[in-house]
Amino acid sequence: MRPVFPTRTRGFLPLALSALLLLANTAEAHTWGEEQWRIARNGTFVGSPGFARGYKPRDQDQNQDYLVNKGHNVILPTDKAVNPTRSKLTDAMYSADAPMLKVAPGDFVAFMYTENGHVSKQDIFGGNAKPINRGTVYVYATYENDLSDYNLVDIHLKWNQDGTGGDGKGKLVATRNYDDGQCHEVIPSGIGDQEGITTFRMAHLKGGYELLPCQTDIKVPLDAKVGKTLTFIWVWDWPTQKPEYRGLAVTPATYNDTTQSDAEIYTSVADYLIVDPCDDSLGEVKGPTCNKDGKEEPVQFLEQPDPARSGIRAQMEDLFMVQLPQAGFNVKAAAAPTNKIPLAILIGNTEPVTAQIPQETLLNSPAKPALNLEGGSEADEPPSPSVSALPSSEPSQAPPSSRPTQFPSSRPSQPSVSSKPTPTSSPPPATTSPATGGDVEDGVLIVTVTVPETTVFVTSTTTETAKVVRTTTPTSSASSSSLMFFEPTPTPNSKRSNLRRGRGEWTFGAS
């Protein structure tokens, strides 16, 4: 099968995209895994794509998304983790036209999906109060290829980064914002670009793509077992917030949180066959440890890559862009640095968005480096404040206003999830019930959140898993892009550092 997602510039759209364009003008379609690409050490896609488990082209099946809690607005303990029609790895799940991807230990892989308006049209066209990061993506890995007996609560928020959570048969390998900072849909005919997000990204991303898919970049563990099939479970937590909690930065890492009016979680599955780093099936670009000493090669990331054919540098540098207790962070709830949230400029806005976001405002967003704009990269930026998913103890009760939302024209120095003044005294820690626990009442899993009156939601901590070690410019006249060399670095968080080994890798440990 030829790649689903094209390499095209504005003004040129091949007929093969007709199904995608049809969906781009609706709000009914959701998201599921599609292409899976190996990412070379320079950040570019290599080889031919693999596909998600049970994949079908969109013109054959436009309803491949799996809503875990379909038919009810809460998560039940009995909700299945993955689509029952794709829960078992059988020969029917892959084909010559939609093969399983082959990867080497240590490879980066791009898990591709389309945003279907949930990034570029959510605030006005969508209308509901959703987290500003457009929901949090969690990626879990396991050698358990048959998932038919797993309920969501057996995996999600139980499997942790060091593989000791839940039944111990899987681990959390990445957390991401659903909005990757660059993806967007085609501007709909008739209504135009109401929010200005697509127009901005087309103007500032290399290539000017009219439609650009999203990606979740993940890393295959270095100790993944050659010959085994490693199953990855992609979980998108996309709840609707209560109106008084509009403007919340990230999705709380709990079930049926008190800030939410409706739970909404989608999952998708992809399998990768682990091969030897020097295996011929990988093509010209071998695995990162295919060298004489078997050590992982550093990433040499192109400074101005083609976004349609490259991984995202910020994701390759940081495996856990949303910080969680389950990922080894010393936090009480989900949190993320503001420069990791592409639309961070909206954090704390309690009124619905009713007008196009000014282009200057988007340009000055804390997450500007995610666009790979000239003149700056995330490695050049100072640490950014983190924002928590915990709400204010006294949320704004102001009724919705019909007047246009007011946006600052420049980058805020201290973004906040609350319009309340930040207390000057040190607050007591915010508390949540354990994400792995909760009470069951009438079959509904209940997890409560308690927030002290003086909780502060902006901290000055951030975590990176890599640092730039040198910059060089290729001598070839065919390319003028600089290469950024970075390597994993330990974090000051001792709990997380204790889980590391070698060059910033974690032991996978599942058998």
Side-chain angles (χ1 to χ4, degrees):
M1 177 176 291
R2 297 183 64 183
V4 173
F5 302 122
T7 55
R8 66 196 183 288
T9 55
R10 53 175 167 263
F12 175 71
L13 237 53
L15 295 176
L17 292 173
S18 58
L20 286 177
L21 294 182
L22 175 64
L23 291 176
N25 286 279
T26 72
E28 297 299 321
H30 288 290
T31 294
W32 57 88
E34 301 192 47
E35 292 181 355
Q36 313 288 308
W37 284 92
R38 283 184 69 224
I39 307 175
R41 306 312 274 185
N42 68 356
T44 59
F45 295 169
V46 292
S48 299
F51 290 83
R53 183 185 289 189
Y55 169 81
K56 295 180 181 178
R58 281 179 175 256
D59 58 358
Q60 296 180 18
D61 186 352
Q62 297 181 6
N63 296 287
Q64 297 177 64
D65 59 303
Y66 176 63
L67 174 59
V68 170
N69 57 309
K70 188 174 184 178
H72 42 277
N73 66 349
V74 294
I75 302 299
L76 302 176
T78 54
D79 288 332
K80 288 298 181 183
V82 301
N83 190 333
T85 66
R86 292 168 171 81
S87 60
K88 292 185 178 181
L89 178 56
T90 65
D91 291 342
M93 293 296 101
Y94 294 95
S95 67
D97 288 335
M100 182 188 300
L101 186 67
K102 294 180 180 180
V103 300
D107 267 340
F108 283 98
V109 177
F111 184 109
M112 309 294 288
Y113 57 96
T114 57
E115 52 106 347
N116 292 306
H118 304 309
V119 170
S120 58
K121 297 185 294 183
Q122 178 54 50
D123 296 297
I124 296 177
F125 192 79
N128 293 332
K130 295 288 187 177
I132 301 305
N133 72 340
R134 304 321 200 201
T136 299
V137 171
Y138 304 75
V139 183
Y140 300 92
T142 180
Y143 290 113
E144 296 293 311
N145 309 134
D146 185 350
L147 302 171
S148 55
D149 291 335
Y150 279 99
N151 296 328
L152 182 70
V153 297
D154 299 327
I155 296 173
H156 183 46
L157 302 179
K158 280 196 174 179
W159 286 358
N160 56 16
Q161 182 253 11
D162 63 355
T164 60
D167 64 4
K169 294 185 178 180
K171 68 179 293 187
L172 177 68
V173 295
T175 58
R176 303 287 184 230
N177 300 304
Y178 176 87
D179 178 10
D180 67 6
Q182 61 183 36
C183 60
H184 56 269
E185 293 292 322
V186 174
I187 296 176
S189 59
I191 65 173
D193 187 11
Q194 291 179 308
E195 299 181 34
I197 296 170
T198 296
T199 298
F200 174 77
R201 294 183 177 182
M202 285 177 62
H204 291 284
L205 279 165
K206 183 177 180 179
Y209 293 95
E210 292 184 296
L211 183 152
L212 191 65
C214 306
Q215 56 183 288
T216 294
D217 295 343
I218 56 182
K219 188 175 184 180
V220 179
L222 272 175
D223 59 353
K225 299 179 180 179
V226 173
K228 291 277 191 176
T229 298
L230 195 55
T231 294
F232 288 81
I233 305 162
W234 185 89
V235 178
W236 175 32
D237 190 0
W238 191 58
T240 299
Q241 305 299 134
K242 295 176 181 177
E244 60 266 33
Y245 293 116
R246 184 184 295 273
L248 207 60
V250 295
T251 306
T254 59
Y255 287 108
N256 305 323
D257 189 79
T258 56
T259 65
Q260 301 169 5
S261 61
D262 296 280
E264 194 169 349
I265 294 181
Y266 296 84
T267 64
S268 193
V269 181
D271 307 284
Y272 306 148
L273 178 62
I274 310 300
V275 301
D276 186 271
C278 300
D279 195 272
D280 290 340
S281 66
L282 296 176
E284 292 184 4
V285 179
K286 306 302 183 186
T289 59
C290 182
N291 49 60
K292 61 181 181 180
D293 55 10
K295 293 182 178 180
E296 183 182 9
E297 296 177 355
V299 173
Q300 305 173 36
F301 204 93
L302 291 175
E303 207 169 40
Q304 292 290 321
D306 179 348
R309 284 291 175 262
S310 301
I312 296 175
R313 176 181 168 184
Q315 294 193 27
M316 294 176 70
E317 290 177 338
D318 191 346
L319 298 178
F320 298 99
M321 299 182 76
V322 178
Q323 302 168 3
L324 304 169
Q326 295 90 344
F329 289 94
N330 186 24
V331 293
K332 294 293 185 181
T338 52
N339 68 345
K340 305 289 186 182
I341 301 175
L343 296 175
I345 203 75
L346 299 177
I347 295 171
N349 282 332
T350 58
E351 297 180 358
V353 174
T354 59
Q356 191 175 84
I357 305 170
Q359 298 291 290
E360 181 184 1
T361 297
L362 291 171
L363 185 63
N364 288 305
S365 171
K368 181 179 69 172
L371 292 173
N372 295 315
L373 296 174
E374 293 185 10
S377 65
E378 206 150 294
D380 303 323
E381 295 288 319
S384 179
S386 296
V387 285
S388 169
L390 290 175
S392 169
S393 57
E394 294 181 3
S396 171
Q397 299 293 334
S401 171
S402 59
R403 62 185 174 86
T405 303
Q406 298 298 310
F407 299 103
S409 59
S410 61
R411 182 172 178 164
S413 58
Q414 287 293 326
S416 172
V417 297
S418 172
S419 59
K420 294 172 58 180
T422 301
T424 56
S425 60
S426 298
T431 60
T432 63
S433 59
T436 56
D439 300 321
V440 177
E441 297 179 7
D442 298 326
V444 178
L445 183 69
I446 304 296
V447 179
T448 58
V449 177
T450 303
V451 184
E453 179 68 20
T454 57
T455 298
V456 175
F457 302 110
V458 176
T459 64
S460 59
T461 59
T462 186
T463 302
E464 296 181 351
T465 60
K467 66 177 181 181
V468 175
V469 293
R470 70 184 190 277
T471 303
T472 187
T473 302
T475 56
S476 170
S477 59
S479 173
S480 60
S481 298
S482 295
L483 301 180
M484 303 300 292
F485 291 73
F486 64 83
E487 60 185 12
T489 59
T491 72
N493 186 314
S494 59
K495 181 178 179 183
R496 192 175 180 193
S497 298
N498 288 340
L499 301 176
R500 293 182 177 274
R501 69 172 178 84
R503 295 172 62 85
E505 289 304 311
W506 295 273
T507 300
F508 190 69
S511 60

